[in-house]
Every structure is written in structure tokens, then in C-alpha cells.
Amino acid sequence: MSGFNTLAVHAGQHKDPHTGAVVPPIYQTSTFIQDGINVLRSGHEYSRGSNPTRDGFEAQLTALEGGAAGFAFASGIAAEDALLRAVLEPGDHIVLGADGYGGTNRLISKLHSKWGITSSAVDITNLDSVRAAVRPNTALLWVETPSNPLLGIADLAGWADIAREHGALLVVDNTFATPYLQRPLDFGAHAVVHSTTKYIGGHSDVLGGAVIVAEHLFRGQALAEAVGFQQFAGGAVAGPQDSYLAARGLKTLGLRMERHCASAAKLARWLDSQPEVTRVYYPGLESHPGHELAARQQRGFGGIVSLQLTDEPAARAFAESMEYFQLSVSLGGVESLVCYPREMTHASLIGTELEIPANLVRLSVGIEEPEDLIADLSRGLAAARNAAGPARTTCPQPAREPALQL
Ligand SMILES: *Cc1c(COP(=O)(O)O)cnc(C)c1O
């Protein structure tokens, strides 16, 4: 079988037989002419059901994740919603990793709860607590690793064992790692979800999501069939233009991830030695509690670094004062971004036991020159120094904070 970058460039990307165009055309069409009633010329009928550009992207991503089938959606959340609707029934329970994308928690607790779905949040790093949270009606376990925004590392094989013991499905949100760094299906997961908006698109210019499934029967139906039917009947599909942009980004994923990982490691080490920074969250640091597990389970440690500053004013000033690290939600693009998760992406958790600390900032490290990024971070830290509370600025060595356990 061909290697990652070869598959990324070629899988699903059929050259145009008519013109020889190296890049397959974007099939910007809603419908396909039939040669007779229900006699389909190339298998395509209507673009909600299938479209050649979407098919190409789905095949490309499925090959990279090592799945049986893949389905592209209008956004990451649309992909998550489709998967949940495809496999769950009213009364089902979900074991949900506590540290994860805020929107996943919101989707389940605010929308799916109306249809009788319940969930329990668990510490993703503690398999005993995962096992203890499983109930007789648990149909699904959902985990994100590395997690957002605390970069926790979950033992995928351990989670898969628990799912198998209970006949439940294991779903892994692989958005942060991408298939270049980690293939959850190889560890026994049944489905992978992606926000292709992030590293797969890679250029902050398209929204999208995907579900990739293993060959697996659940409640008597193949997962591929269940999710495929939900995609067609529910209709939250990726359009041809968006599918094209995601496929184009995916071709260079391996190259970009190498650079994201190398730069993030450099920046994490540098930040770890700065007095204004009380804690750095990056699985590539030996001090990270999930470091060894991540080294076994992933090809690299990823491009996201979170950090805590001395206090909330310092964190806010840091986030608002840089030039290359632009203040915005999202991540995974070629440009560096900085985000204040407590209020920007995880605001729905404020007031709950899962709320994000007020001094935490998340960086998505882009592919710019790392020296320029470090100079930018220095600017941010200078602003943080000026903004930090007076009691802290007089204290030359702020105490290191204990590891955050969620
Ligand atoms: C962004 C994100 C999502 C949601 O994806 P959208 O494309 O914004 O709908 C889900 N999971 C993770 C880990 C994300 O970062």
C-alpha cells in the first residue's frame, strides 16, 4: 500500500479522461441527466446523494484514515450531528470526554437531549472513570485526543476495549491530530469525525466536516450504510466547491503537519522558560502527563499549544497584542491564531465544573518562520507583564500551577 503523501495526492483524484486535466474538474451541478428513466450514466443522480467532487474528497480522506467509507458534510458539527442521528435511538446514553470541543457538548446537551439522549462527562485520561461512567443504555463513547483546549491525551486502545466490552461504539474526533499524526480506526475506534475546516482544509477558507467509519455492524446495520443514508436523507452535505477546497488542502496535509509540529515544539519549549508563563500544555514536552502515550499513539505532537499566564488580565493582554498570532476562533490554518477559549469557544461551559480557566490562552501555530513567531510571542508577553495584577508583577517567580485535571 502506498505511503501517506502518495495517497494524499492521488487517492480519489481521478484525472479528467476528456481533457487530461491533472486536477479533476469541480462538478458544480445539482443534477445529472439520465439516459432513460432511472438509467444513470455514471451512477450520479442528484448532488445531495452523490457528486463526483465530493466522492473524490471522501475517497481521499477514507484512504488516509484507513476506513471502509467516508462522508463529507457542510461543517464539522453537521458531521457529528449526522453520525449521532444515524446510530442513536431515544433513551441512549453517551460517555463523553469532558475536555473537548465545546460545540460537541452543546450539540448533545442542547439538541439531542430533546430526543431523549443523555450523556456523562468523563476525564479522558482516566480509563477507570470512563469504565465507571458506562451504563446499560450506553450506546456510544466519544473522545477527542489531543483534546481542546487542554491537550489531554486519551488511550485510544483502552477506550476501544471499554466500548467493545459493552457493545458500544467508539467515536474519535481526530481534528487536532489529523490522519497524518494518528489513525484512530487502527486502535479499534468504529468511527472518526473531523472538522475539515481546520488542518485538512488548512487555509482557513472553507467550512466542512467528515465521518469515516470502519467496517462494523451496529444494531444490525453496517455503519457505512447508516451514515450514508443519514447524509442523503438528512442532507447536510458538503457542496462541490467546498469539497474541492478540502481535497486540495488535504494533498499537502503531511507537509504542513511536519512544519506545524516542528514550530509548535520550538514555541512550546521557549514559552516554558518564560517567567510570565505559569504552565504550558503541549504533549511534546516531557513534562506533559500524556507525553509517552502520545509518543506511542501519534507520529508527532501537533500544532496546538495552550498556556496559562500569571492571571486573567495578563492572558487577555497577551491574546490581544500580537501581530502574527491573530485573535480569532478556529485553528489549523497556515496562519497562526490565538484564542481565549473561556469566552471565545467554550463560553457555554462557564459556571459548570468544566469551565476553562480565565488565564488560559490557546495558540494555533502556523507555518510562518518560527523566529518571527517567537518575536511576536515576546510582544505578547511584554503586554502581559504590563497588564498583570500589581501583586503578581512584584513577584519575580510566579508559582507553577498544578496540572489541570478535568
Ligand atoms: C472546530 C471543531 C469542531 C466543529 O467543526 P466546525 O467545522 O466548526 O463545525 C469539532 N471538533 C473540533 C475538535 C473542532 O476543533
Side-chain angles (χ1 to χ4, degrees), residues 61-62 64-73 76 79-80 82-84 140-145 156 169-180 182-196 200 209-216 223 227:
L61 185 55
T62 302
L64 296 175
E65 285 285 5
F71 305 92
F73 293 88
E80 297 185 5
L83 174 58
L84 293 172
L140 195 145
L141 281 65
W142 186 295
V143 69
E144 198 176 308
T145 181
L156 288 177
L169 291 177
L170 175 60
V171 178
V172 178
D173 184 331
N174 205 28
T175 299
F176 270 37
T178 80
Y180 183 68
Q182 167 176 282
R183 297 212 316 178
L185 302 180
D186 293 348
F187 293 93
H190 302 101
V192 166
V193 298
H194 276 288
S195 168
T196 59
I200 288 175
V211 177
I212 298 93
V213 296
E215 206 167 298
H216 185 72
L223 278 182
V227 179

Side-chain angles (χ1 to χ4, degrees), residues 221-362:
Q221 192 183 22
L223 278 182
E225 195 187 322
V227 179
F229 183 73
Q230 178 66 42
Q231 183 193 39
F232 165 67
V237 295
Q241 183 73 30
D242 290 355
S243 299
Y244 163 75
L245 285 169
R248 173 168 136 137
L250 187 50
K251 290 178 189 175
T252 57
L253 178 70
L255 302 183
R256 287 184 285 108
M257 289 315 290
E258 286 290 339
R259 175 66 170 222
H260 286 301
C261 290
S263 292
K266 236 177 239 177
L267 270 49
R269 271 179 226 296
W270 183 84
L271 285 166
D272 206 27
S273 66
Q274 302 304 309
E276 299 84 1
V277 178
T278 57
R279 187 174 157 82
V280 177
Y281 296 81
Y282 185 64
L285 295 177
E286 291 76 15
S287 58
H288 187 285
H291 174 69
E292 281 173 25
L293 177 58
R296 280 203 304 279
Q297 192 166 274
Q298 301 175 207
R299 188 205 300 239
F301 299 107
I304 307 296
V305 180
S306 291
L307 60 142
Q308 281 173 291
L309 292 110
T310 42
D311 57 16
E312 177 174 346
R316 287 178 177 275
F318 176 80
E320 290 177 346
S321 63
M322 290 182 284
E323 180 187 344
Y324 295 126
F325 281 96
Q326 302 168 99
L327 181 65
S328 62
V329 299
S330 202
L331 54 102
V334 292
E335 57 286 289
S336 292
L337 300 177
V338 57
C339 158
Y340 184 67
R342 180 185 170 86
E343 291 178 16
M344 290 171 65
T345 54
H346 289 63
S348 61
L349 302 182
I350 291 177
T352 74
E353 63 195 38
L354 302 178
E355 71 178 8
I356 303 299
N359 63 345
L360 188 116
V361 174
R362 186 190 73 196

